[in-house]
Amino acid sequence: MPPLNTILSSPIEYLKGVGPLRADMLKKELGIYTFLDLLEHYPNRHIDKTKLSKIREISPNTEYIQIAGTLLHYELVGAGRAKRLVAQLKDSSGMIELAWFQGINWVVKNLQIGSDYLVFGKTGFFNGKPQIVHPEIEPFVPAKADGKNFLEPVYPSTEKLKVRGFNGRQIGKLTYTLFSQLQPTDIPENIPEEIVVRLQLMNRYQAYRNIHFPASQALYEKAMERLKFEELYIAQIRLNLVKLQRHAVSKGVVFEKVGDYFNTLYAKYLPFTLTGAQKRVLKEIRTDTARGHQMNRLLQGDVGSGKTIVALLSMLLAADNGYQSCFMAPTEILAQQHYQSLGKLVKEMPIELALLTGSTKTKERKRILQGLLDDTIHFVVGTHAVIEEVVQFKNLGLVIVDEQHRFGVAQRAKLWEKAAIPPHVLVMTATPIPRTLAMTAYGDLDYSIMDELPPGRKPITTVHRYETARAKVMDFVRTEIDKGRQAYFIYPLIEESEKMSYEDLMQGYEQVKSFFPEPKFRISMVHGRQPSEQKDTNMQRFVSGDTQIMVSTTVIEVGVDVPNASVMVIESAEKFGLSQLHQLRGRVGRGSEQSFCILLTGVKASKEARERISIMSATNDGFKIAEKDLELRGPGDIEGTRQSGALNFKIANIVNDRGLLEMAREEAEKTVTEDINLDLAKNLQLNQFLRMQKGKNGWSKIS
Ligand code: ADP
Ligand code: MG
């Protein structure tokens, strides 16, 4: 078989019309290095020259418009920042103003009064007259009568390129030149023919052709479909290969038996019966860890579904088989809380538990490091501190990463290196991740879902109030406290303006204090700027019920568990994202009492903020909220996935192309399960394509 795609991997300067200067610009500005890169620089729209509007038709509701007309006049007006070039264009129905604030020299050089131009742009009104600012403009050539290729591609370009006259149209010319050199065999299939045929996908050559130069809208759409599917399928193939190869070859420590530790806790010290979901997940973990291969499991559970106890039982399972466990939490507060609550549960058992964080004192730290090395410590709970190199284990068998979204992939990977045979890994999410996102960003992990809350929980009542109603809200909080309950007041922490957030928090604290004066009321305050001892004491006082009110920033967000707290007031709720609001709200509703979450906003909250708040008021279901969050924000913004590189799709979008993603996932699973080394004849081209792509992007780095 000849090497694949030799033409496509040619350097871009080999293309006719691309000299060294242009090649340089293409590389720097658009990341186009090869022929294939140029093919994958997709147009963002097509111009249909047969579809022209009349200037008279423009109304305040018109968005984008394409018109053709004669240039009557242009002149420079204004000064300083308002300096602009204004031109008049006339068609048979009326007149429109075109304006440029930038790139004026280029425009002046290229426009000719009296000539006809094709103009495309976003319409607006200025002084009551229609106007297009920074329109796309080019000499008008009437569409050919034969109607062929009437959809002309327009490519994304950059300001720098445009200023040098290298605009979207010029790029189109290059693409056209490239296509005139290519034969169908130069763009061979890269997904198995059988799939292309069965799913009635356009073939690869045709798809590239039609995404650039479609003969019709329908063909363009088929091309899009094919290329999106291809992108998702290839990504899923990679993820499934990582997963299955790990299943097949990676060694893992074997937890062969359930022993005394596990059984004793289960029989004697478990304060409740496990939910069905907890039992099911434990079974999955048990099966995974007994096979002799490394477990890599993502545990998705809604806030309050009881993930911590699942973690503890898994750690006991490790101990029963002679292995140590490490439990990582994203914040010091949370590590402390886990340390204490786990400690309480195993208090009567011969289990050595240690807490290792950034603020652990030198002497204690030394003791712990020694204990881990000689295996006298079974469990270590900690923050990032546990992944530092100096921390070495004698016998690490299990790593649990809680509230995973704050740990990067790279940090997780560090843990792999802590033992000759990589330890089993259980990653627990703080809140659910939408299915499509889990499939793409964490598709190499197996996953478990805990979709059941412990019995007896009452759904939290969530309401929206304006700040103007603060006094009433405070009255309500007081009645709850009078009933013996506790309350949270949460203030936003905006990273960019930490100082301001801090001042807001202090002001808030004073305000809360004025409504809830000492000595009748006692208030804890926790924020990121406190020394950890102070944080600790304040936290502890709230946990023990000594203080009734907790004023805090979002440091409280994750994991903290005070079942007696029944009210949460979230200040400036419009500043929080959906998942964060849900996570925060999960701090209440942990006991058997009816709980409340009050979202306070200013009267001027944006439309999106109001939508988030109405979703929060409508549902307590974290899985639903996660889906909405993804829809509202788009995949790029979901925390923790940005760096993963797994979502850098060129053309597919996991929100809009959900159906295709499911299909690609299914097909990729079939392909890989049937032929894990991809050496069947039908998978040969796929195999070669993957090898050619390797190292080209970040995929190989994802573990
Ligand atoms: P999360 O999944 O948010 O980490 P936690 O593990 O903190 O949830 O558990 C939330 C609360 O529910 C804790 O107070 C815990 O003790 C309690 N809990 C966990 N499992 C059960 C159960 N099966 N029955 C009753 N309460 C439970
Ligand atoms: Mg938790």
Side-chain angles (χ1 to χ4, degrees):
M1 189 138 191
L4 191 74
N5 289 358
T6 39
I7 290 195
L8 293 189
S9 41
S10 311
I12 195 67
E13 45 266 67
Y14 289 12
L15 187 66
K16 205 174 144 230
V18 183
L21 207 75
R22 278 191 156 184
D24 206 45
M25 287 201 285
L26 285 171
K27 287 175 196 174
K28 278 210 190 95
E29 291 292 307
L30 299 171
I32 296 175
Y33 289 83
T34 63
F35 287 7
L36 183 62
D37 292 338
L38 181 63
L39 281 190
E40 289 186 346
H41 188 66
Y42 302 126
N44 45 15
R45 63 186 192 86
H46 287 86
I47 292 181
D48 181 348
K49 285 192 185 165
T50 60
K51 281 212 181 104
L52 291 175
S53 301
K54 292 279 175 223
I55 291 173
R56 186 173 17 95
E57 293 162 16
I58 297 173
S59 81
N61 296 326
T62 311
E63 276 218 86
Y64 287 89
I65 197 161
Q66 178 167 273
I67 46 186
T70 312
L71 189 74
L72 291 187
H73 167 85
Y74 62 77
E75 65 179 326
L76 271 173
V77 299
R81 291 183 64 201
K83 183 174 154 191
R84 60 197 185 275
L85 182 75
V86 175
Q88 313 292 334
L89 189 87
K90 177 186 174 299
D91 71 2
S92 59
S93 74
M95 186 111 91
I96 189 167
E97 200 171 280
L98 312 176
W100 288 266
F101 291 84
Q102 278 144 29
I104 294 175
N105 291 344
W106 182 86
V107 181
V108 170
K109 221 164 85 188
N110 287 279
L111 293 189
Q112 265 187 356
I113 289 179
S115 294
D116 289 341
Y117 290 94
L118 181 73
V119 170
F120 176 89
K122 198 173 173 175
T123 58
F125 279 82
F126 183 69
N127 288 340
K129 286 185 290 185
Q131 189 194 49
I132 303 179
V133 176
H134 287 173
E136 290 173 20
I137 183 163
E138 63 166 283
F140 178 64
V141 186
K144 292 207 188 77
D146 64 5
K148 263 194 190 144
N149 273 352
F150 58 84
L151 290 170
E152 205 185 304
V154 182
Y155 294 84
S157 185
T158 65
E159 282 305 321
K160 264 203 189 137
L161 289 177
K162 277 184 205 158
V163 168
R164 302 201 188 166
F166 201 15
N167 60 16
R169 284 292 167 74
Q170 306 294 323
I171 295 168
K173 282 192 186 138
L174 294 181
T175 313
Y176 195 83
T177 309
L178 175 57
F179 256 108
S180 62
Q181 293 180 12
L182 293 176
Q183 304 299 318
T185 47
D186 292 329
I187 309 184
E189 220 14 287
N190 58 357
I191 54 186
E193 290 289 349
E194 182 270 327
I195 294 178
V196 176
V197 172
R198 181 161 41 81
L199 300 182
Q200 299 183 347
L201 298 171
M202 191 177 260
N203 75 35
R204 190 159 171 244
Y205 172 81
Q206 284 299 335
Y208 276 125
R209 221 197 144 84
N210 281 289
I211 198 161
H212 292 284
F213 309 106
S216 72
Q217 183 65 27
L219 284 172
Y220 174 73
E221 275 158 26
K222 282 298 276 182
M224 285 282 275
E225 179 200 32
R226 145 75 206 213
L227 292 171
K228 284 176 173 180
F229 179 85
E230 172 188 318
E231 191 169 38
L232 294 165
Y233 174 80
I234 299 282
Q236 289 296 322
I237 286 281
R238 287 179 202 284
L239 289 166
N240 277 282
L241 279 177
V242 172
K243 186 161 99 179
L244 287 196
Q245 281 168 356
R246 188 160 53 211
H247 284 183
V249 301
S250 85
K251 276 202 173 151
V253 293
V254 183
F255 296 172
E256 54 191 356
K257 61 169 197 269
V258 178
D260 278 352
Y261 289 127
F262 186 102
N263 287 329
T264 308
L265 186 104
Y266 199 92
K268 282 173 81 175
Y269 304 117
L270 202 59
F272 38 68
T273 37
L274 295 181
T275 64
Q278 285 169 322
K279 284 185 191 157
R280 193 184 63 234
V281 170
L282 275 167
K283 231 180 246 160
E284 286 165 353
I285 292 170
R286 166 104 180 84
T287 314
D288 265 15
T289 53
R291 288 177 320 161
H293 301 307
Q294 189 203 12
M295 169 176 82
N296 264 283
R297 189 165 277 279
L298 176 69
L299 170 53
Q300 285 229 57
D302 204 349
V303 188
S305 59
K307 294 183 287 287
T308 318
I309 198 75
V310 171
L312 176 62
L313 285 163
S314 309
M315 289 156 79
L316 292 167
L317 182 65
D320 277 335
N321 291 277
Y323 289 98
Q324 295 166 288
S325 299
C326 162
F327 190 144
M328 283 210 301
T331 64
E332 183 135 357
I333 291 185
L334 198 55
Q336 301 230 356
Q337 243 220 341
H338 280 323
Y339 173 69
Q340 269 145 15
S341 59
L342 299 184
K344 238 183 262 163
L345 287 162
V346 300
K347 179 166 84 217
E348 306 293 334
M349 295 169 55
I351 287 278
E352 270 307 310
L353 178 68
L355 174 68
L356 185 62
T357 69
S359 59
T360 305
K361 295 269 153 43
T362 317
K363 205 174 140 206
E364 170 70 352
R365 195 177 161 75
K366 251 187 161 158
R367 184 190 73 82
I368 294 172
L369 294 185
Q370 189 55 44
L372 291 173
L373 209 55
D374 61 25
D375 198 17
T376 48
I377 292 176
H378 301 92
F379 301 164
V380 61
V381 178
T383 52
H384 292 63
V386 300
I387 60 173
E388 281 167 23
E389 239 159 75
V390 293
V391 185
Q392 293 296 333
F393 296 79
K394 173 142 187 232
N395 233 345
L396 182 62
L398 173 67
V399 173
I400 293 172
V401 183
D402 191 17
E403 320 297 5
Q404 184 272 341
H405 66 267
R406 301 211 175 162
F407 275 112
V409 177
Q411 286 168 316
R412 260 194 283 154
K414 270 197 183 176
L415 281 160
W416 288 201
E417 294 153 15
K418 298 234 166 261
I421 298 179
H424 297 301
V425 178
L426 181 66
V427 170
M428 307 199 295
T429 60
T431 46
I433 305 170
R435 195 180 137 68
T436 50
L437 196 60
M439 266 163 54
T440 41
Y442 305 101
D444 60 324
L445 306 180
D446 292 303
Y447 69 94
S448 297
I449 288 189
M450 292 216 314
D451 47 5
E452 187 185 345
L453 293 184
R457 298 272 174 80
K458 292 200 180 70
I460 303 161
T461 303
T462 301
V463 295
H464 173 210
R465 294 285 181 269
Y466 290 112
E467 272 157 16
T468 43
R470 185 181 301 276
K472 270 197 188 148
V473 169
M474 293 302 197
D475 282 344
F476 176 76
V477 175
R478 194 174 299 114
T479 59
E480 282 293 297
I481 292 178
D482 285 343
K483 285 190 227 159
R485 314 276 145 70
Q486 289 163 280
Y488 291 98
F489 285 85
I490 309 290
Y491 291 81
L493 182 103
I494 309 150
E495 269 165 45
E496 310 92 71
S497 60
E498 205 194 316
K499 188 159 169 286
M500 207 179 80
S501 311
Y502 180 70
E503 280 162 13
D504 284 353
L505 176 72
M506 289 305 151
Q507 252 178 34
Y509 176 65
E510 291 305 324
Q511 192 176 40
V512 172
K513 227 159 107 179
S514 70
F515 279 97
F516 298 96
E518 286 174 319
K520 184 178 175 213
F521 299 100
R522 289 170 308 279
I523 306 175
S524 280
M525 177 164 61
V526 170
H527 58 79
R529 287 192 170 189
Q530 284 165 328
S532 60
E533 267 155 47
Q534 196 180 344
K535 235 187 268 176
D536 241 35
T537 329
N538 287 340
M539 198 59 228
Q540 276 319 312
R541 289 186 67 198
F542 188 66
V543 172
S544 69
D546 180 28
T547 53
Q548 304 107 320
I549 297 172
M550 166 63 77
V551 173
S552 133
T553 57
T554 47
V555 291
I556 216 74
E557 176 183 339
V558 199
V560 171
D561 187 31
V562 181
N564 188 48
S566 68
V567 201
M568 172 170 289
V569 179
I570 302 182
E571 298 275 349
S572 307
E574 70 269 27
K575 292 189 183 151
F576 294 86
L578 259 183
S579 288
Q580 202 177 20
L581 286 172
H582 179 63
Q583 180 57 230
L584 283 167
R585 176 171 65 179
R587 302 306 108 213
V588 295
R590 307 195 137 228
S592 49
E593 303 303 335
Q594 175 62 55
S595 290
F596 303 89
C597 176
I598 301 162
L599 305 172
L600 277 181
T601 73
V603 272
K604 274 196 193 147
S606 70
K607 186 169 156 264
E608 290 83 36
R610 282 204 306 271
E611 187 162 357
R612 287 197 294 271
I613 283 161
S614 85
I615 292 165
M616 285 296 293
S617 312
T619 181
N620 276 301
D621 182 336
F623 287 89
K624 271 190 203 151
I625 289 174
E627 291 289 345
K628 282 285 179 194
D629 198 24
L630 181 62
E631 264 171 46
L632 290 178
R633 289 201 292 170
D637 278 339
I638 303 291
E639 216 176 329
T641 56
R642 226 166 307 164
Q643 336 78 306
S644 81
L647 295 169
N648 297 334
F649 293 119
K650 278 205 164 75
I651 182 168
N653 172 308
I654 64 166
V655 179
N656 301 332
D657 304 320
R658 226 177 279 196
L660 276 177
L661 173 59
E662 297 274 356
M663 218 149 79
R665 168 84 167 178
E666 206 176 289
E667 293 297 337
E669 251 166 23
K670 264 196 263 171
T671 307
V672 174
T673 314
E674 183 190 44
D675 181 19
I676 188 163
N677 296 315
L678 300 182
D679 44 27
L680 291 181
K682 63 175 177 180
N683 294 327
L684 212 58
Q685 286 184 314
L686 170 65
N687 192 337
Q688 286 188 334
F689 179 79
L690 290 174
R691 267 191 261 163
M692 196 185 76
Q693 294 276 297
K694 207 165 194 169
K696 242 191 102 176
N697 47 34
W699 279 105
S700 45
K701 290 183 211 110
I702 292 167
S703 63

